[in-house]
Amino acid sequence: MSRLRTSPRRLGGFTLIELLVVIAIIAVLIALLLPAVQSAREAARRISCVNNMKQLGLALHNYHDFSGSLPTSSGFQARMGWGWLPLILPQIEQGNLYNATNFQDSDECQGASTTRRASIAAFICPSDGFDNLYADRTAPNVACLGEGNTVVPDGSPTTIGATTYTGWLGRLPHYAGSYGDGANAKATDVYSIEGSGALYGCGGCNSNGAAGPPGVVTADCPAPTFGYGGGTNHRGLFDYMGVSGPVSFASITDGLSNTIALGHQASIARSPSGLWTTSTGTINGTSLPINFALQRCLKSGRSPSTNFAYANSYVSRAFTSMHPGGSNFTFADGSVKFLKDTINQRTYNALGSRRGGEVVSADAY
């Protein structure tokens, strides 16, 4: 009986074409899924950021319940230079660091070094990713009363522009209080039409009333100025110059839910004055559009590690964030809302004012 011939048995495995098809399918799936994964991660980071900002809002309310007003910055010169963030340390379970800080002396003293270098999770936005210890921080130039009456910066030599100097070692916070839309110092009444209506179209004014370079040009504001502000003419909740009185919730006649208390400051769009312990490093305003300074930095072509130096102390007082499309804000009632960076500037400035009398519809933002 003859044997039937059979064709050779095919060995197991894939052909090259089959492998290429599988790889192509996997690549397409990755391309489709990656944006969704990144979006989910950003959503999780934004939720964490919202929790941080709610925690800070609650801390402000607890501080207010205890003292009868919101914390104030000590400002320049003999006022010691401390900002408001160190004052709420007990309200965010950082009582030990608060007790170890000598608020009776300058924030520039060597004794404040431990406080300046502290990393506090509630001050860090997960979307930012830069919880760095910088060696070039600047402080409000306040003389040290103790420790030999000298101020000795503890950072390494740093070059910014054509200037080389030694700064302070410290961390910058990703959240800052709002001074509102700083007015022209020459205005007699910042809540009058002359003092606010004519000046807050967009951009705000320097504290000395000087004009700055053109930025966003509108019919209301043909030559917007830097967002400096502060002082007796600020319309928000905080004053980094330390010359205005404390702000109580009762004095916020625009309503707690209609007044910005805190906002973001992105680490790559922050000047060397960004230091979490100081008055100058913890207060921004609504004078400049949301993300104005961030866009300015990104267009400079610098790397993320050096972009912050491009935003000087005035320009960087715009609120900025690494959240796409806008920024989270804590309002005076403790709620956290996301404001788009396309918000109308007059609406934005109205939200920065504590008693301007503006009527802002909820659907305006």
Side-chain angles (χ1 to χ4, degrees):
M1 190 169 172
S2 62
R3 236 181 225 185
L4 292 173
R5 270 191 183 195
T6 59
S7 58
R9 182 175 294 178
R10 181 181 172 186
L11 297 177
F14 296 100
T15 66
L16 178 60
I17 293 177
E18 289 171 333
L19 285 173
L20 291 175
V21 169
V22 171
I23 292 173
I25 293 174
I26 293 174
V28 170
L29 291 175
I30 291 175
L32 292 174
L33 293 175
L34 190 58
V37 172
Q38 291 175 335
S39 178
R41 286 178 176 174
E42 169 55 25
R45 289 192 290 261
R46 186 177 294 185
I47 290 173
S48 179
C49 174
V50 168
N51 289 336
N52 285 346
M53 300 191 78
K54 284 185 176 180
Q55 182 180 355
L56 294 178
L58 179 61
L60 289 178
H61 275 256
N62 290 338
Y63 184 97
H64 187 281
D65 290 344
F66 175 77
S67 66
S69 68
L70 294 171
T72 58
S73 292
S74 56
F76 300 86
Q77 303 309 321
R79 296 189 178 94
M80 306 306 174
W82 293 99
W84 65 273
L85 278 179
L87 299 181
I88 65 167
L89 287 174
Q91 282 74 37
I92 56 172
E93 300 182 349
Q94 293 289 334
N96 290 337
L97 183 59
Y98 178 88
N99 293 332
T101 303
N102 181 12
F103 291 101
Q104 302 305 311
D105 212 339
S106 167
D107 66 320
E108 299 185 29
C109 288
Q110 287 301 296
S113 177
T114 299
T115 307
R116 287 195 299 267
R117 303 181 194 193
S119 176
I120 299 174
F123 299 162
I124 304 301
C125 172
S127 293
D128 196 296
F130 283 92
D131 180 22
N132 295 341
L133 186 63
Y134 294 101
D136 65 344
R137 301 294 86 187
T138 60
N141 301 316
V142 181
C144 181
L145 302 180
E147 304 173 16
N149 297 324
T150 59
V151 175
V152 182
D154 52 9
S156 59
T158 302
T159 299
I160 293 182
T163 304
T164 299
Y165 71 100
T166 302
W168 280 261
L169 274 171
R171 300 180 190 275
L172 59 82
H174 294 157
Y175 307 113
S178 173
Y179 64 71
D181 48 350
N184 188 321
K186 299 175 183 177
T188 56
D189 180 6
V190 297
Y191 291 98
S192 68
I193 294 299
E194 294 77 16
S196 60
L199 297 176
Y200 299 126
C202 73
C205 290
N206 284 336
S207 59
N208 62 1
V216 180
V217 177
T218 69
D220 291 329
C221 191
T225 57
F226 287 137
Y228 196 84
T232 56
N233 293 324
H234 80 290
R235 303 205 307 164
L237 304 191
F238 299 93
D239 163 27
Y240 65 84
M241 296 180 72
V243 297
S244 5
V247 173
S248 66
F249 286 149
S251 68
I252 306 175
T253 56
D254 284 351
L256 301 187
S257 62
N258 294 321
T259 305
I260 292 173
L262 312 174
H264 267 272
Q265 54 182 9
S267 59
I268 66 171
R270 189 64 189 165
S271 74
S273 66
L275 182 57
W276 81 269
T277 55
T278 67
S279 57
T280 53
T282 56
I283 300 175
N284 290 347
T286 60
S287 298
L288 292 168
I290 298 172
N291 286 333
F292 175 88
L294 179 61
Q295 294 303 319
R296 177 182 170 93
C297 284
L298 294 177
K299 290 177 181 178
S300 72
R302 303 187 180 207
S303 67
S305 61
T306 59
N307 260 337
F308 69 90
Y310 189 70
N312 62 38
S313 294
Y314 308 107
V315 175
S316 64
R317 296 205 184 281
F319 285 112
T320 57
S321 86
M322 301 305 290
H323 299 305
S327 180
N328 286 326
F329 288 85
T330 302
F331 281 67
D333 64 348
S335 64
V336 178
K337 303 172 185 177
F338 185 81
L339 300 184
K340 296 181 180 179
D341 50 21
T342 55
I343 187 173
N344 177 273
Q345 189 63 27
R346 283 192 177 275
T347 300
Y348 184 43
N349 287 334
L351 293 174
S353 165
R354 65 185 183 275
R355 55 184 182 89
E358 306 96 339
V359 177
V360 180
S361 173
D363 59 8
Y365 59 94

